[in-house]
Amino acid sequence: MSKIKVDTIEGSTGTTITVPSGQTLTVTDGIAATNLSGTIADARLPTVPVSKGGTGLTSLGSAGQIVQVNSGGSALEFAAASGGMNTLLSTTNISNVAQVDIEANIDSTYSKYYFKLSKLKCATDNAYLLGRVKLAGSGSYQTDNEYEYVNTDTRTNGTTFDNGSAHDTGTDRFLIQNNNGQGNASTESFDFDIWLSNPADTAIHKFVWGLGQGWRSEHAMCQHRFFGSYKGSASAIIGFRFYMNTGNITSGTIQLYGVV
């Protein structure tokens, strides 16, 4: 074996020295990091362990997962979020539709689902919000007289306050807003928070409840409280329809969240 001792190696032309294909340059004691420059191909990068500030992971988890310490306290791993609220669907820019059907992502993943209705307007003065459910195995929303609900409201009436209520044990839809619905359709809107419990549980009837606020007429506010259940079947609920008793929904947004 021959040995070359030099202080500097230079290219005969230019500033690049090339090790020919098929040849390997081995540096026995490594190269100090302060002397490295240039780019290293991704395939050549090592996995950085936790002890060096990395994750020790070599792949990407699924959508919505978090990185946590494993049960043995020895490494990091991907896992489903164990708490909080996850955005599942956002229906934005609603524009003059007869109803909004929310069907994607309502399943057994979460025990509760939260519908956030914001700045909804309707085409007709004094219209109010209704709802229906779609069951697993059904091609359409339920219209039989198996809905049960209670709805109460508190509202301003000029310079005074009064209360209203509505209920039914055998009707073809939920009355989410009491009959004192939205006031002036052109300038007034309403918000509503709706909760659906255990939609995939086929051993029980499911509950729906919510709280909303809006206007019943100009300068007359109204707060609505709603509670109901579809009692015709314990089948899984896979969809929820929002619509008005008269006229279209002209604008607004609806978002769906899963609650762990």
Side-chain angles (χ1 to χ4, degrees):
M1 179 188 299
S2 59
K3 181 183 295 186
I4 299 176
K5 292 185 177 182
V6 296
D7 295 318
T8 304
I9 299 177
E10 294 183 359
S12 60
T13 58
T15 58
T16 300
I17 297 174
T18 301
V19 177
S21 177
Q23 304 297 309
T24 301
L25 176 64
T26 301
V27 181
T28 304
D29 295 326
I31 300 176
T34 54
N35 295 328
L36 290 174
S37 63
T39 302
I40 301 175
D42 293 350
R44 306 293 296 176
L45 294 173
T47 301
V48 182
V50 175
S51 60
K52 296 295 184 181
T55 63
L57 300 171
T58 59
S59 62
L60 185 64
S62 302
Q65 285 189 312
I66 62 170
V67 176
Q68 67 177 20
V69 178
N70 66 12
S71 59
S74 59
L76 296 177
E77 64 181 3
F78 293 106
S82 59
M85 187 177 296
N86 298 318
T87 304
L88 303 178
L89 180 68
S90 181
T91 302
T92 59
N93 300 321
I94 297 171
S95 180
N96 200 34
V97 296
Q99 71 267 328
V100 178
D101 295 342
I102 307 297
E103 298 181 6
N105 302 306
I106 299 178
D107 51 33
S108 61
T109 305
Y110 299 95
S111 60
K112 288 184 176 63
Y113 288 82
Y114 163 46
F115 303 91
K116 181 179 180 180
L117 286 62
S118 301
K119 295 192 293 186
L120 262 63
K121 289 186 176 183
C122 54
T124 307
D125 290 352
N126 301 313
Y128 44 89
L129 184 66
L130 305 174
R132 282 183 172 138
V133 298
K134 185 176 183 179
L135 304 180
S138 173
S140 60
Y141 283 81
Q142 299 302 119
T143 58
D144 50 356
N145 294 324
E146 295 291 350
Y147 292 85
E148 184 171 337
Y149 67 83
V150 175
N151 190 305
T152 61
D153 64 78
T154 302
R155 61 222 184 210
T156 57
N157 186 13
T159 58
T160 63
F161 290 87
D162 60 9
N163 298 293
S165 65
H167 60 86
D168 206 326
T169 60
T171 184
D172 64 350
R173 76 286 187 274
F174 291 127
L175 177 62
I176 298 175
Q177 274 180 303
N178 197 0
N179 294 5
N180 293 286
Q182 179 182 338
N184 188 312
S186 63
T187 60
E188 297 168 0
S189 64
F190 63 90
D191 296 342
F192 232 106
D193 298 329
I194 304 291
W195 296 83
L196 171 63
S197 289
N198 305 300
D201 191 332
T202 58
I204 60 173
H205 295 297
K206 274 66 73 176
F207 291 114
V208 184
W209 70 97
L211 179 67
Q213 52 278 327
W215 301 89
R216 63 181 297 209
S217 61
E218 188 175 6
H219 307 306
M221 300 179 296
C222 190
Q223 183 184 64
H224 302 272
R225 295 168 297 279
F226 158 74
F227 175 71
S229 178
Y230 177 76
K231 57 189 179 68
S233 171
S235 297
I237 293 176
I238 60 172
F240 203 98
R241 169 174 289 175
F242 296 99
Y243 67 107
M244 309 303 295
N245 69 308
T246 179
N248 286 353
I249 301 173
T250 58
S251 64
T253 64
I254 298 179
Q255 294 171 291
L256 175 64
Y257 297 86
V259 183
V260 178

